[in-house]
Amino acid sequence: MAIAVSTFGEYQGKRVDQFRLVSTTGVTVDIIGYGVVVRDWRVPVAGGERSVVLGFEQFDAYPAHSPHLGSLAGRVANRIKDASFELNGKTYKLPANAGNLQLHGGAEGLGRQVWDGQVDEANNAVRFTHFSPDGAMGYPGNVNFSATYTLKGNRLRLELSATTDQATPISLVQHQYFNLGTTSDVLDHAIQVNSSAYTELGSDLAPTGAILPSRGTIYDLRTPRTMRDAAGKPVDYDIGMALDTGRNNADAIATVVSPDQDLTFKLWTDRPGVQVYNGVWTDIPVPGLNGKSYKKHAGFCLEDQAFADAVHNPHFPNVIYSPERPYRHWCEIEIA
């Protein structure tokens, strides 16, 4: 099917385009150039279709109110302790935007930039590109980023790449908020993640460096469970999970089922970890898609990524890339 392109808004003097992908199974995905945001994702269900992500009807709500809804976060996703790091004998100071931390690449990170989009109708895909200059949000290196979304059937694939002219940390993440059901929260979704360990957090929510077993904790998601405890009270998730090593990348690393069991979410990735988040901090003062209110636990995120704060933990998987080591990352999400 033809990929429809329209103007969705304007940001800092740049036009923000929207690209609509439609599959042969009737799935519709709207992606905008601002932050490579997946603005809406609609899946057929009995009696019609269901919107399964959190987003906004109007562009102006994104820069004003979005907690990274649907965006591509980076240059370095998640938290960097003390908003600084050392590389090759030099200390880089980053603009902090979450207390004394930098979160998701800073206040003007990749998720808040306008990317250029190019349609690929033969593959039902859109390729987005962005040039990030040396010094952007404190990071070294001129970096050319590419993000390609391809929709086939009920599966959306994201392929990410980056090339740089000097060593620099890179760790991108798709930051989509999902709600597969029909209620205002995701607490009764059943979630399962192929992970036996998690990265312990300090009081500032940055990893301590310890990787702890999840058995017997609220982070033991190896078998499906809702996001409530035994007494039915909500459980807050905002934790980095270490995915089991030696896995087959053809196997999904996470599965989530809607309360009515009408829809099942599956995630595949080549990354070593995934951030499990269920909207602990969500409190958006304006309406979302279809007039919905987005408050605490309104959506869940499964952010496949490298471990948070890897720049301060050399035993974590390496996030330093260079001209000789370009960045590559893929994930696939199926909702059916």
Side-chain angles (χ1 to χ4, degrees), residues 11 51 104 158 160 181 247 275 283 292 316 319 325 335:
Y11 183 67
S51 180
H104 294 325
L158 173 60
L160 298 165
R247 72 184 192 275
Q275 186 83 7
D283 185 10
K292 291 182 178 179
F316 285 2
V319 297
R325 186 183 183 234
I335 302 175

Side-chain angles (χ1 to χ4, degrees), residues 155 178 180 186 188-195 220-227 237 241 243 250-259 261-269 274 276 300-303 332-336:
R155 189 175 297 196
F178 295 93
L180 310 178
V186 295
D188 295 309
H189 287 55
I191 182 173
Q192 179 269 328
V193 180
N194 295 337
S195 167
D220 190 350
L221 304 176
R222 292 172 298 166
T223 57
R225 58 163 292 169
T226 68
M227 302 181 206
Y237 287 103
M241 308 290 293
L243 295 173
D251 297 332
I253 63 100
T255 302
V256 184
V257 180
S258 64
Q261 299 187 338
D262 282 352
L263 291 174
T264 298
F265 165 108
K266 293 182 178 181
L267 170 66
W268 294 260
T269 182
V274 62
V276 178
F300 71 86
C301 303
L302 286 170
E303 309 161 46
E332 294 184 353
I333 298 172
E334 180 182 85
I335 302 175

Side-chain angles (χ1 to χ4, degrees), residues 303-320:
E303 309 161 46
D304 60 300
Q305 60 188 274
F307 296 175
D309 203 32
V311 291
H312 290 126
N313 294 280
H315 57 293
F316 285 2
N318 184 19
V319 297
I320 304 301

